[in-house]
Amino acid sequence: MNLEAQLVEWLRANLPGGPLLEVPLGDDAAVLNPGTHSIVVTTDLLTEGVDFLLDQTSPQLVGHKALGVNLSDLAAMAARPTAAFVSLALPRTGGAGFSTLDLAIELYRGMLPLAHKHGVVIAGGDTNTWDGPLVVSITALGETTQRGPLTRTGAEVGDRLLVTGSLGGSILGRHLAVEPRVAEALLLHGQFTLHAGIDISDGLALDAWRLGEASGCGMVLDLDRIPVSVDAHELSQRDGRPAREHALADGEDFELLLAVPADAARQIVEQQPLDVPVTDIGEVIAERGLWQRSATGQKTPLQPQGWQHQAQA
Ligand SMILES: [Mg+2]
């Protein structure tokens, strides 16, 4: 039996189904029956050597991350995750001490607990082998709630900028052990008025700038209010860069950055309705661009620095 047949056999035995799946894994295509909601679709491609190093991490963590980053994008849209499609290009020689088949199964073993936690069915995908590195591509689907999708375009002048959790230094582990803020986004979107949102994948500064540009506004960050993670402080001790710079630019935090009307923002910060802290870190202004405001109130331009994929010239 070839690898794909063996893997599909394992998948049939190990992937839970669900009411969404009208025709499950194993046919030419999946058939989903989403009911009456809009469908939200996102996809993400992870490549060994670029997004992870297989000799320094476990394939389970890679699987977890590959699904986690997709769920984080669904969270940013305030969509409830429903299904995922997993495509693998596996090195013919396997990797991380596993045979090719076991490498694939390990990837799925990393995805399954996260899929279960968020009610996601893995509904299909494709599996190939080749002479290149491991490539994992996941497409995730979600459905909007009654309040519709949360987009990047709705920020208004006077909105407050709220962020979940704390930022910076994700390279010490959180960049792989992604905790997508799905429940948090759904709760906030359901109980409060949110104007716009984005997940912080490439760094607070860059993603705040993107949110502003998409909404046609400017963004001011109050630097002394930014929640700096323990990891950012740890990294700062090692490399001498200020911890706050790590919080601004490291990326892969996978926290939510939200533009929220001032009244609702005040309520959220007072009530703290999530398991993670929510912090007010700034304001939406009319003047385009990204700005920083010091403790003394002085406003100056801030570089939208962060992680961006480089193309070879
Ligand atoms: Mg995103």
Side-chain angles (χ1 to χ4, degrees), residues 178-228:
V178 181
E179 281 291 344
R181 300 303 187 197
V182 173
E184 291 80 0
L186 290 171
L187 186 147
L188 292 178
H189 191 51
Q191 296 186 8
F192 302 92
T193 299
L194 310 180
H195 278 165
I198 190 171
D199 66 321
I200 301 175
S201 52
D202 298 331
L204 170 63
L206 183 55
D207 287 321
W209 176 79
R210 284 179 176 144
L211 190 62
E213 286 300 297
S215 293
C217 307
M219 300 278 163
V220 188
L221 300 179
D222 291 312
L223 290 191
D224 56 327
R225 293 198 196 175
I226 293 169
V228 178

Side-chain angles (χ1 to χ4, degrees), residues 1-61:
M1 197 161 41
N2 72 15
L3 174 110
E4 188 163 26
Q6 281 178 288
L7 183 59
V8 169
E9 191 170 281
W10 186 89
L11 293 173
R12 277 187 207 277
N14 286 276
L15 297 189
L20 176 74
L21 264 185
E22 204 170 300
V23 177
L25 190 99
D27 213 308
D28 291 284
V31 178
L32 307 181
N33 189 340
T36 55
H37 298 279
S38 301
I39 300 177
V40 182
V41 185
T42 182
T43 191
D44 215 277
L45 180 77
L46 298 185
T47 306
E48 182 185 351
V50 179
D51 301 288
F52 60 89
L53 299 171
L54 208 45
D55 57 356
Q56 289 179 24
T57 185
S58 78
Q60 287 199 17
L61 263 178

Side-chain angles (χ1 to χ4, degrees), residues 74 100 148 152 156 251:
L74 292 179
T100 310
R152 294 184 183 184
E156 292 178 17

